[in-house]
Amino acid sequence: MDVSPVQSIKPLGFPWETQDPFLFCVYHADHYPAGNEQLGPQAPLDGRNLGNDFVIKDGWRMYHGLTVPGFPAHPHRGFETITITKKGLVDHSDSMGAAGRFGEGDVQWLTSGKGLQHAEMFPLLRPDQENPLELFQIWINLPKRSKFVDPHFKMLWHEDIPQLTFTDEAGKKTYVEVIAGSLEGADALPPTPSSWASEPENEVAIYTFRMEAGARWTLPPGDAVLNRNLYCYSGADLTLAGHAMQPNQGATLDASLPTEIVNGAEEAYFLLLQGRPINEPVVQYGPFVMNTQEEIRAAMMEFRRNQFGGWPWPKGDMVHEKSRGRFALHADGREEVK
């Protein structure tokens, strides 16, 4: 009797359910209107719980932003964030003095390590048309030995991210972006140096992929110890190793077995997260992820005492000049301009 790689299929919640070494995954899709002079929405904000606006109204949210949607300055310690932008732009600022504007397929990989503050704002640059935003934010844990490394961020610009195309026997195509790990001989760009994903033996993989209607594609197998999760966030009926799967569902897979995906009648979109588990205690309090309660208390005390280095920017909801394109300014003064 054949053994199925599908261990479970569940509806996607908020956030999406993840497995070690991943801690958190959220998908944001906001249909923002035209922008105003402050780069916020050219629309009334009445009826919103400003400062904590997570209920979709008119197709979009302000999140913690008051003027510009997004997440003003807040602390992190002990883990990494991976921000995958599909549409729209993100303005980054942090307590190291680093900054950037990225989007439209770019990925930011940020190691918080011993602690930093950062802001993630969503500037609405177009005053005469809508400003849609679509992104994933993924949290991946750091092992105990790396909890106190220096903060570091790296840009994976979309022009450099490996893009693979697979064509099935019927000529239907599957398009895969390899954000972490490798696939069929294509290696992703290196992550930050202290990341769990920086060690090849951990087989961390992050793929986003799109399948044409009716396309077939098989996820190749990996090591049996890996945790592997597949999320379908747009599409129609499809099958996963013969099991019915709907959009807005996630599957837990046996990574040691190949998994055939047969798409339904509509184009479908997926995210895959895979990695060797760290297998260490996880104690989380908001944006602090450590191994013990004592370390959480110490993180809270240190943040109250020194704000993880303070905030060098004029405001917590920092956005950059409207005329700026995509760029990354690193803490050492190095600048990338795209």
Side-chain angles (χ1 to χ4, degrees):
M1 182 176 179
D2 292 338
V3 178
S4 173
V6 179
Q7 298 176 341
S8 67
I9 298 177
K10 300 177 183 177
L12 295 176
F14 188 89
W16 295 355
E17 185 175 324
T18 59
Q19 291 181 285
D20 186 4
F22 297 96
L23 300 163
F24 174 93
C25 179
V26 68
Y27 171 66
H28 294 300
D30 290 278
H31 302 283
Y32 289 114
N36 59 27
E37 292 183 358
Q38 291 77 40
L39 307 188
Q42 200 179 114
L45 300 179
D46 301 338
R48 294 181 180 273
N49 183 23
L50 288 180
N52 195 32
D53 178 28
F54 282 79
V55 177
I56 295 178
K57 180 177 182 290
D58 301 325
W60 49 276
R61 297 154 283 193
M62 289 294 290
Y63 300 104
H64 294 311
L66 301 179
T67 303
V68 178
F71 297 84
H74 57 281
H76 285 184
R77 170 179 274 187
F79 65 101
E80 301 184 283
T81 59
I82 303 162
T83 305
I84 303 170
T85 61
K86 293 297 187 180
K87 299 177 183 176
L89 295 167
V90 178
D91 275 6
H92 166 87
S93 306
D94 67 37
S95 54
M96 300 182 292
R101 171 171 287 165
F102 62 94
E104 305 296 349
D106 299 329
V107 177
Q108 186 200 60
W109 200 303
L110 174 66
T111 303
S112 65
K114 64 184 181 183
L116 87 165
Q117 293 187 71
H118 77 144
E120 304 157 288
M121 307 306 298
F122 309 142
L124 309 182
L125 298 187
R126 297 185 294 208
D128 54 354
Q129 58 182 298
E130 292 185 345
N131 290 271
L133 175 80
E134 183 183 12
L135 64 79
F136 300 95
Q137 185 161 101
I138 300 160
W139 293 10
I140 183 170
N141 202 7
L142 286 167
K144 183 178 180 63
R145 67 177 184 272
S146 303
K147 291 287 189 187
F148 290 91
V149 298
D150 289 336
H152 183 93
F153 91 88
K154 182 169 186 176
M155 287 307 311
L156 313 181
W157 301 110
H158 72 258
E159 296 92 339
D160 304 321
I161 293 172
Q163 316 264 341
L164 302 180
T165 301
F166 299 93
T167 305
D168 65 20
E169 292 181 352
K172 301 289 187 177
K173 298 184 186 306
T174 298
Y175 305 92
V176 184
E177 296 177 318
V178 183
I179 294 164
S182 60
L183 179 65
E184 301 294 343
D187 294 328
L189 299 169
T192 50
S194 298
S195 177
W196 186 247
S198 68
E199 302 170 21
E201 63 270 22
N202 295 330
E203 291 190 53
V204 172
I206 302 173
Y207 310 147
T208 61
F209 60 98
R210 171 173 61 92
M211 299 183 73
E212 293 181 344
R216 292 173 176 260
W217 183 57
T218 298
L219 280 169
D223 196 298
V225 304
L226 302 175
N227 286 330
R228 176 181 278 185
N229 292 89
L230 179 68
Y231 309 91
C232 177
Y233 59 97
S234 181
D237 296 346
L238 57 121
T239 62
L240 193 62
H243 296 259
M245 187 178 187
Q246 303 292 328
N248 298 310
Q249 289 187 333
T252 302
L253 304 176
D254 181 341
S256 69
L257 298 173
T259 303
E260 184 186 46
I261 307 166
V262 181
N263 194 21
E266 297 180 11
E267 189 174 60
Y269 292 79
F270 301 84
L271 170 72
L272 178 120
L273 300 179
Q274 170 190 287
R276 183 181 299 272
I278 296 173
N279 288 328
E280 293 178 353
V282 174
V283 180
Q284 180 177 354
Y285 183 81
F288 305 138
V289 181
M290 305 302 292
N291 298 108
T292 67
Q293 289 287 356
E294 291 76 13
E295 290 171 335
I296 291 290
R297 285 193 287 269
M300 295 170 63
M301 291 176 61
E302 183 174 342
F303 180 66
R304 283 195 294 265
R305 185 173 66 250
N306 64 17
Q307 301 294 296
F308 291 161
W311 187 249
W313 303 98
K315 54 184 181 178
D317 59 346
M318 185 70 188
V319 291
H320 307 304
E321 290 292 329
K322 183 177 181 178
S323 59
R324 291 226 61 172
R326 294 154 54 229
F327 77 98
L329 174 64
H330 296 267
D332 61 4
R334 179 172 56 90
E335 186 168 5
E336 302 173 74
V337 178
K338 303 303 285 187

